[in-house]
Amino acid sequence: MAKDLVQKPYDPEEFRELGHKLIDQLSLYMAEAQRGEGPVLPFTPPSEMLDFWKGFLHSDSREILFAETLKQTTRVHHPRYMGHQVAPPLPLGALMALLGASLNNGMAVYEMGMAPTAMERVVTDWLCRKLGYGTSSRGILTSGGSLANLTALLTARRNKAPGDIWNNGQQGKLAILVSEAAHYCVDRAARIMGLGEAGVLKVPVQEDFSMDTSKLPGMYEAARQKGLSPFAIVGSAPCTATGSYDNLEAIADFAKEKDLWFHVDGAHGGPAVLSEKFGHLVKGIAQADSVVIDGHKMMGMPVITTALLYREGALSYTTFSQEADYLLTDTPEEDWYNGAKRTFECTKLTSSLSWYAVLSHYGETIFEDYLNRQYELARTFADLIRKRPHWELACEPQSNIVCFRYTPPGADATTCNQVNGLMRQRLLEEGRYYIVQTRLKGLLYLRTSLMSPFTTSGDLKELMRYLEELTPTPTPKR
Ligand SMILES: Cc1ncc(COP(=O)(O)O)c(C=O)c1O
């Protein structure tokens, strides 16, 4: 019996049968979701959801388990999915993730992921070339933009901060410069590194929510006078809330002048380097010391996979190295194939399988076409919003993220916030559309990330019509 329980689950024939059933259900799900059938988000309050799955634990049917999971999911393929920045994964990429999960080669050392390691090198070399980096560049894949940003900042500190902090611990007061609109993970990374609140110098943004680079010299000097040593500056390409790109050329110039590490958080919109039409948004990126690009955002990969790319690849080996002679410690050559030397993870996902398969099967044009389509759709949506009375945009969309709000005639800021908040709550509970919200300069905006390649301008017109139908009456002030 014990043997049965240990070995039986590996039965290849059972796997084949069950696998076919799962793929059949998934394919049906995808067809329905892509056609816009069913709710985008069958919203269930967390406690109800918890009760359901507690109760389900003793069910023995794996087919029902598949079906229930599919039923209770947020449908990212759906044309009316416009919420967070997660891609509907390309099915080939998802199949490769299944392949990787079935093989469980853990990547930490070369022998535990030979093919995925070589594929990772091919994919990251390709991305480096697209950034405009030279042959001494190198990249790695890691688990998410948050971890990749932290890793890049650790490399930055190792190479630009005074002293040997990795071995001797924090000494002086260090700081980084980053736009106030940057993703929160940059702030979090700095705090993890012991910089504290004072060590995150938040640069104000302009009207369009991009970094106001004119403030950099003054902020830098003020920090120095307070005894802080800034060692890195982070540009957002783009920032999360509004999708606005920082002026990377201006930041690069400033970084050069002050000898700072220049890091670009291109988790969302770094792939603009692949677009002839939108490449101008990331002008200057080739001068960055490091760049982060999420695969699971604008590159159609299944979660979670991020490329962290270094202009000077040798520096990527310094991040976690105790030794000054980091590169040649164990081998007489660069051992790019022992990935764990440069990543936080020891065991990690073989996500390179997905990148490689998509790149080799469809070619790089698929990424450009997808980005162009979604970015253009955002501009069409902005035109639609602009034409409607009582609606306003937070700023012109630069990527596929659009923030907008309803401003009923005569309503003050508090009432507007209330009305927009209620609309978004209604949408969430009804599940017909999935959009999110964000607060910008104290004002609440509805926020869409146009991620699904099945969303059309018709869906966006319909969203506006639906929102207008929903416009709630604000509670009168007492
Ligand atoms: C600009 C930016 N950086 C970093 C992140 C965090 O990436 P991840 O969710 O892959 O950790 C996000 C997520 O939305 C982002 O928009």
Side-chain angles (χ1 to χ4, degrees), residues 85 143-147 149 182-186 236-241 265-269 292 294 296-297 304-306 401 447:
Q85 302 142 263
S143 298
S146 305
L147 193 61
N149 281 325
H183 190 264
Y184 73 86
C185 70
V186 176
S236 300
C239 68
T240 308
D265 178 3
H268 182 80
V292 155
D294 269 0
H296 50 282
K297 291 191 167 60
I304 187 172
T305 180
T306 300
I401 296 171
R447 176 175 175 275

mmCIF file of all heavy atoms in Angstrom, residues 85 143-147 149 182-186 236-241 265-269 292 294 296-297 304-306 401 447, ligand 1:
data_model
loop_
_atom_site.group_PDB
_atom_site.id
_atom_site.type_symbol
_atom_site.label_atom_id
_atom_site.label_comp_id
_atom_site.label_asym_id
_atom_site.label_seq_id
_atom_site.Cartn_x
_atom_site.Cartn_y
_atom_site.Cartn_z
ATOM 1 N N GLN A 85 -1.014 44.188 -14.829
ATOM 2 C CA GLN A 85 -0.112 44.007 -15.977
ATOM 3 C C GLN A 85 0.403 42.578 -16.085
ATOM 4 O O GLN A 85 1.597 42.345 -15.972
ATOM 5 C CB GLN A 85 1.064 44.959 -15.830
ATOM 6 C CG GLN A 85 0.679 46.409 -15.740
ATOM 7 C CD GLN A 85 1.585 47.125 -14.757
ATOM 8 O OE1 GLN A 85 1.255 47.310 -13.608
ATOM 9 N NE2 GLN A 85 2.759 47.519 -15.198
ATOM 10 N N SER A 143 13.140 35.400 -10.839
ATOM 11 C CA SER A 143 11.703 35.281 -10.582
ATOM 12 C C SER A 143 11.035 36.611 -10.252
ATOM 13 O O SER A 143 10.759 36.901 -9.084
ATOM 14 C CB SER A 143 11.472 34.289 -9.441
ATOM 15 O OG SER A 143 11.937 33.031 -9.803
ATOM 16 N N GLY A 144 10.805 37.404 -11.270
ATOM 17 C CA GLY A 144 9.994 38.598 -11.084
ATOM 18 C C GLY A 144 10.770 39.898 -11.060
ATOM 19 O O GLY A 144 11.959 39.944 -10.712
ATOM 20 N N GLY A 145 10.062 40.942 -11.413
ATOM 21 C CA GLY A 145 10.663 42.277 -11.473
ATOM 22 C C GLY A 145 11.137 42.756 -10.113
ATOM 23 O O GLY A 145 12.166 43.426 -10.003
ATOM 24 N N SER A 146 10.394 42.396 -9.068
ATOM 25 C CA SER A 146 10.766 42.865 -7.729
ATOM 26 C C SER A 146 12.131 42.306 -7.343
ATOM 27 O O SER A 146 13.012 43.030 -6.882
ATOM 28 C CB SER A 146 9.723 42.426 -6.698
ATOM 29 O OG SER A 146 8.446 42.869 -7.093
ATOM 30 N N LEU A 147 12.290 41.009 -7.552
ATOM 31 C CA LEU A 147 13.553 40.356 -7.202
ATOM 32 C C LEU A 147 14.678 40.847 -8.117
ATOM 33 O O LEU A 147 15.826 41.030 -7.675
ATOM 34 C CB LEU A 147 13.387 38.842 -7.328
ATOM 35 C CG LEU A 147 14.488 38.004 -6.706
ATOM 36 C CD1 LEU A 147 14.597 38.253 -5.214
ATOM 37 C CD2 LEU A 147 14.235 36.520 -6.955
ATOM 38 N N ASN A 149 14.916 43.798 -9.584
ATOM 39 C CA ASN A 149 15.312 45.160 -9.195
ATOM 40 C C ASN A 149 16.201 45.129 -7.953
ATOM 41 O O ASN A 149 17.191 45.848 -7.870
ATOM 42 C CB ASN A 149 14.079 46.035 -8.945
ATOM 43 C CG ASN A 149 13.451 46.526 -10.238
ATOM 44 O OD1 ASN A 149 14.151 46.808 -11.211
ATOM 45 N ND2 ASN A 149 12.137 46.633 -10.270
ATOM 46 N N ALA A 182 7.726 55.547 -9.166
ATOM 47 C CA ALA A 182 8.269 54.212 -9.476
ATOM 48 C C ALA A 182 7.495 53.132 -8.731
ATOM 49 O O ALA A 182 6.844 53.400 -7.717
ATOM 50 C CB ALA A 182 9.742 54.149 -9.085
ATOM 51 N N HIS A 183 7.596 51.916 -9.217
ATOM 52 C CA HIS A 183 6.930 50.788 -8.548
ATOM 53 C C HIS A 183 7.454 50.641 -7.114
ATOM 54 O O HIS A 183 8.651 50.819 -6.866
ATOM 55 C CB HIS A 183 7.180 49.501 -9.334
ATOM 56 C CG HIS A 183 6.344 48.350 -8.863
ATOM 57 N ND1 HIS A 183 6.816 47.424 -7.962
ATOM 58 C CD2 HIS A 183 5.063 47.999 -9.136
ATOM 59 C CE1 HIS A 183 5.868 46.527 -7.721
ATOM 60 N NE2 HIS A 183 4.789 46.854 -8.428
ATOM 61 N N TYR A 184 6.572 50.265 -6.214
ATOM 62 C CA TYR A 184 6.949 50.226 -4.790
ATOM 63 C C TYR A 184 8.094 49.260 -4.496
ATOM 64 O O TYR A 184 8.781 49.362 -3.481
ATOM 65 C CB TYR A 184 5.729 49.893 -3.915
ATOM 66 C CG TYR A 184 5.277 48.449 -4.000
ATOM 67 C CD1 TYR A 184 5.852 47.479 -3.198
ATOM 68 C CD2 TYR A 184 4.274 48.054 -4.888
ATOM 69 C CE1 TYR A 184 5.458 46.152 -3.270
ATOM 70 C CE2 TYR A 184 3.878 46.735 -4.982
ATOM 71 C CZ TYR A 184 4.467 45.791 -4.171
ATOM 72 O OH TYR A 184 4.084 44.481 -4.264
ATOM 73 N N CYS A 185 8.325 48.310 -5.398
ATOM 74 C CA CYS A 185 9.361 47.308 -5.111
ATOM 75 C C CYS A 185 10.755 47.930 -5.074
ATOM 76 O O CYS A 185 11.657 47.368 -4.448
ATOM 77 C CB CYS A 185 9.308 46.150 -6.100
ATOM 78 S SG CYS A 185 9.829 46.560 -7.754
ATOM 79 N N VAL A 186 10.947 49.083 -5.704
ATOM 80 C CA VAL A 186 12.267 49.728 -5.669
ATOM 81 C C VAL A 186 12.503 50.281 -4.265
ATOM 82 O O VAL A 186 13.566 50.096 -3.666
ATOM 83 C CB VAL A 186 12.368 50.852 -6.744
ATOM 84 C CG1 VAL A 186 13.697 51.577 -6.631
ATOM 85 C CG2 VAL A 186 12.172 50.274 -8.139
ATOM 86 N N SER A 236 12.314 54.626 -14.615
ATOM 87 C CA SER A 236 11.177 53.733 -14.849
ATOM 88 C C SER A 236 10.802 53.746 -16.328
ATOM 89 O O SER A 236 10.655 54.809 -16.919
ATOM 90 C CB SER A 236 9.959 54.176 -14.034
ATOM 91 O OG SER A 236 10.261 54.163 -12.660
ATOM 92 N N ALA A 237 10.629 52.565 -16.880
ATOM 93 C CA ALA A 237 10.299 52.470 -18.303
ATOM 94 C C ALA A 237 9.181 51.463 -18.519
ATOM 95 O O ALA A 237 9.422 50.380 -19.040
ATOM 96 C CB ALA A 237 11.558 52.071 -19.094
ATOM 97 N N PRO A 238 7.961 51.831 -18.199
ATOM 98 C CA PRO A 238 7.533 53.071 -17.574
ATOM 99 C C PRO A 238 7.201 52.813 -16.111
ATOM 100 O O PRO A 238 7.360 51.702 -15.626
ATOM 101 C CB PRO A 238 6.240 53.366 -18.353
ATOM 102 C CG PRO A 238 5.653 51.994 -18.579
ATOM 103 C CD PRO A 238 6.813 51.045 -18.698
ATOM 104 N N CYS A 239 6.685 53.858 -15.432
ATOM 105 C CA CYS A 239 6.192 53.671 -14.065
ATOM 106 C C CYS A 239 4.876 52.894 -14.126
ATOM 107 O O CYS A 239 4.248 52.810 -15.189
ATOM 108 C CB CYS A 239 6.004 55.010 -13.363
ATOM 109 S SG CYS A 239 4.682 56.011 -14.041
ATOM 110 N N THR A 240 4.488 52.345 -12.991
ATOM 111 C CA THR A 240 3.365 51.404 -12.998
ATOM 112 C C THR A 240 2.002 52.089 -13.119
ATOM 113 O O THR A 240 1.179 51.708 -13.942
ATOM 114 C CB THR A 240 3.396 50.560 -11.705
ATOM 115 O OG1 THR A 240 4.694 50.014 -11.596
ATOM 116 C CG2 THR A 240 2.369 49.461 -11.724
ATOM 117 N N ALA A 241 1.777 53.097 -12.304
ATOM 118 C CA ALA A 241 0.414 53.626 -12.197
ATOM 119 C C ALA A 241 -0.091 54.185 -13.524
ATOM 120 O O ALA A 241 -1.162 53.794 -14.003
ATOM 121 C CB ALA A 241 0.358 54.692 -11.110
ATOM 122 N N ASP A 265 14.243 50.191 -14.616
ATOM 123 C CA ASP A 265 13.168 49.253 -14.339
ATOM 124 C C ASP A 265 12.236 49.261 -15.553
ATOM 125 O O ASP A 265 11.303 50.061 -15.631
ATOM 126 C CB ASP A 265 12.413 49.661 -13.060
ATOM 127 C CG ASP A 265 11.252 48.710 -12.784
ATOM 128 O OD1 ASP A 265 11.081 47.735 -13.545
ATOM 129 O OD2 ASP A 265 10.510 48.949 -11.806
ATOM 130 N N GLY A 266 12.537 48.355 -16.475
ATOM 131 C CA GLY A 266 11.699 48.228 -17.680
ATOM 132 C C GLY A 266 10.816 47.008 -17.568
ATOM 133 O O GLY A 266 10.509 46.374 -18.583
ATOM 134 N N ALA A 267 10.434 46.667 -16.317
ATOM 135 C CA ALA A 267 9.632 45.455 -16.093
ATOM 136 C C ALA A 267 8.430 45.436 -17.024
ATOM 137 O O ALA A 267 8.141 44.437 -17.683
ATOM 138 C CB ALA A 267 9.181 45.375 -14.636
ATOM 139 N N HIS A 268 7.748 46.558 -17.120
ATOM 140 C CA HIS A 268 6.561 46.575 -17.980
ATOM 141 C C HIS A 268 6.918 46.900 -19.436
ATOM 142 O O HIS A 268 6.635 46.123 -20.336
ATOM 143 C CB HIS A 268 5.535 47.589 -17.454
ATOM 144 C CG HIS A 268 4.281 47.601 -18.278
ATOM 145 N ND1 HIS A 268 3.298 46.650 -18.129
ATOM 146 C CD2 HIS A 268 3.878 48.402 -19.300
ATOM 147 C CE1 HIS A 268 2.331 46.872 -19.016
ATOM 148 N NE2 HIS A 268 2.656 47.924 -19.731
ATOM 149 N N GLY A 269 7.530 48.056 -19.640
ATOM 150 C CA GLY A 269 7.648 48.565 -21.018
ATOM 151 C C GLY A 269 9.036 48.525 -21.609
ATOM 152 O O GLY A 269 9.264 49.127 -22.668
ATOM 153 N N VAL A 292 15.865 45.736 -16.311
ATOM 154 C CA VAL A 292 14.956 44.637 -15.962
ATOM 155 C C VAL A 292 13.791 44.600 -16.951
ATOM 156 O O VAL A 292 13.218 45.642 -17.260
ATOM 157 C CB VAL A 292 14.430 44.873 -14.521
ATOM 158 C CG1 VAL A 292 13.094 44.207 -14.298
ATOM 159 C CG2 VAL A 292 15.446 44.377 -13.494
ATOM 160 N N ASP A 294 10.283 42.216 -17.558
ATOM 161 C CA ASP A 294 9.441 41.082 -17.160
ATOM 162 C C ASP A 294 8.935 40.349 -18.396
ATOM 163 O O ASP A 294 8.421 40.993 -19.330
ATOM 164 C CB ASP A 294 8.216 41.580 -16.369
ATOM 165 C CG ASP A 294 8.469 41.627 -14.864
ATOM 166 O OD1 ASP A 294 9.588 41.275 -14.443
ATOM 167 O OD2 ASP A 294 7.547 42.024 -14.130
ATOM 168 N N HIS A 296 6.477 38.132 -18.108
ATOM 169 C CA HIS A 296 5.047 37.870 -17.902
ATOM 170 C C HIS A 296 4.197 39.126 -18.031
ATOM 171 O O HIS A 296 3.004 39.080 -17.791
ATOM 172 C CB HIS A 296 4.821 37.210 -16.534
ATOM 173 C CG HIS A 296 5.493 37.939 -15.405
ATOM 174 N ND1 HIS A 296 6.832 37.846 -15.152
ATOM 175 C CD2 HIS A 296 5.004 38.791 -14.475
ATOM 176 C CE1 HIS A 296 7.146 38.599 -14.107
ATOM 177 N NE2 HIS A 296 6.052 39.184 -13.684
ATOM 178 N N LYS A 297 4.821 40.234 -18.383
ATOM 179 C CA LYS A 297 4.014 41.442 -18.628
ATOM 180 C C LYS A 297 3.827 41.626 -20.143
ATOM 181 O O LYS A 297 2.884 41.095 -20.698
ATOM 182 C CB LYS A 297 4.679 42.656 -17.974
ATOM 183 C CG LYS A 297 4.622 42.598 -16.441
ATOM 184 C CD LYS A 297 5.034 43.901 -15.807
ATOM 185 C CE LYS A 297 4.713 43.999 -14.337
ATOM 186 N NZ LYS A 297 5.326 42.988 -13.472
ATOM 187 N N ILE A 304 6.369 33.099 -13.575
ATOM 188 C CA ILE A 304 6.956 34.405 -13.369
ATOM 189 C C ILE A 304 8.364 34.338 -13.922
ATOM 190 O O ILE A 304 9.102 33.408 -13.650
ATOM 191 C CB ILE A 304 6.937 34.764 -11.862
ATOM 192 C CG1 ILE A 304 7.381 36.171 -11.600
ATOM 193 C CG2 ILE A 304 7.704 33.778 -11.060
ATOM 194 C CD1 ILE A 304 7.190 36.621 -10.149
ATOM 195 N N THR A 305 8.725 35.303 -14.739
ATOM 196 C CA THR A 305 10.054 35.255 -15.344
ATOM 197 C C THR A 305 10.517 36.646 -15.745
ATOM 198 O O THR A 305 9.786 37.387 -16.388
ATOM 199 C CB THR A 305 10.081 34.305 -16.555
ATOM 200 O OG1 THR A 305 11.402 34.295 -17.089
ATOM 201 C CG2 THR A 305 9.101 34.688 -17.648
ATOM 202 N N THR A 306 11.709 36.986 -15.311
ATOM 203 C CA THR A 306 12.228 38.327 -15.564
ATOM 204 C C THR A 306 13.667 38.263 -16.048
ATOM 205 O O THR A 306 14.471 37.514 -15.483
ATOM 206 C CB THR A 306 12.169 39.152 -14.262
ATOM 207 O OG1 THR A 306 10.808 39.210 -13.845
ATOM 208 C CG2 THR A 306 12.686 40.564 -14.461
ATOM 209 N N ILE A 401 -1.254 51.571 -20.671
ATOM 210 C CA ILE A 401 -1.933 51.840 -19.402
ATOM 211 C C ILE A 401 -2.675 53.171 -19.527
ATOM 212 O O ILE A 401 -2.083 54.167 -19.958
ATOM 213 C CB ILE A 401 -0.901 51.881 -18.249
ATOM 214 C CG1 ILE A 401 -0.253 50.499 -18.101
ATOM 215 C CG2 ILE A 401 -1.541 52.346 -16.947
ATOM 216 C CD1 ILE A 401 0.926 50.449 -17.150
ATOM 217 N N ARG A 447 -8.257 52.634 -13.718
ATOM 218 C CA ARG A 447 -6.994 52.336 -14.420
ATOM 219 C C ARG A 447 -7.140 51.049 -15.225
ATOM 220 O O ARG A 447 -7.618 50.033 -14.703
ATOM 221 C CB ARG A 447 -5.881 52.185 -13.391
ATOM 222 C CG ARG A 447 -4.545 51.794 -13.963
ATOM 223 C CD ARG A 447 -3.491 51.789 -12.860
ATOM 224 N NE ARG A 447 -2.220 51.310 -13.338
ATOM 225 C CZ ARG A 447 -1.849 50.048 -13.422
ATOM 226 N NH1 ARG A 447 -2.681 49.098 -13.042
ATOM 227 N NH2 ARG A 447 -0.662 49.716 -13.877
HETATM 228 C C1 LIG B 1 7.464 49.045 -13.279
HETATM 229 C C2 LIG B 1 7.361 47.782 -12.464
HETATM 230 N N1 LIG B 1 8.434 47.310 -11.835
HETATM 231 C C3 LIG B 1 8.396 46.184 -11.101
HETATM 232 C C4 LIG B 1 7.221 45.503 -10.935
HETATM 233 C C5 LIG B 1 7.202 44.269 -10.088
HETATM 234 O O1 LIG B 1 7.330 43.157 -10.924
HETATM 235 P P1 LIG B 1 6.896 41.692 -10.448
HETATM 236 O O2 LIG B 1 5.443 41.736 -10.200
HETATM 237 O O3 LIG B 1 7.302 40.840 -11.623
HETATM 238 O O4 LIG B 1 7.699 41.377 -9.221
HETATM 239 C C6 LIG B 1 6.055 45.957 -11.569
HETATM 240 C C7 LIG B 1 4.779 45.237 -11.417
HETATM 241 O O5 LIG B 1 3.738 45.660 -11.794
HETATM 242 C C8 LIG B 1 6.137 47.124 -12.365
HETATM 243 O O6 LIG B 1 5.069 47.607 -12.981
#
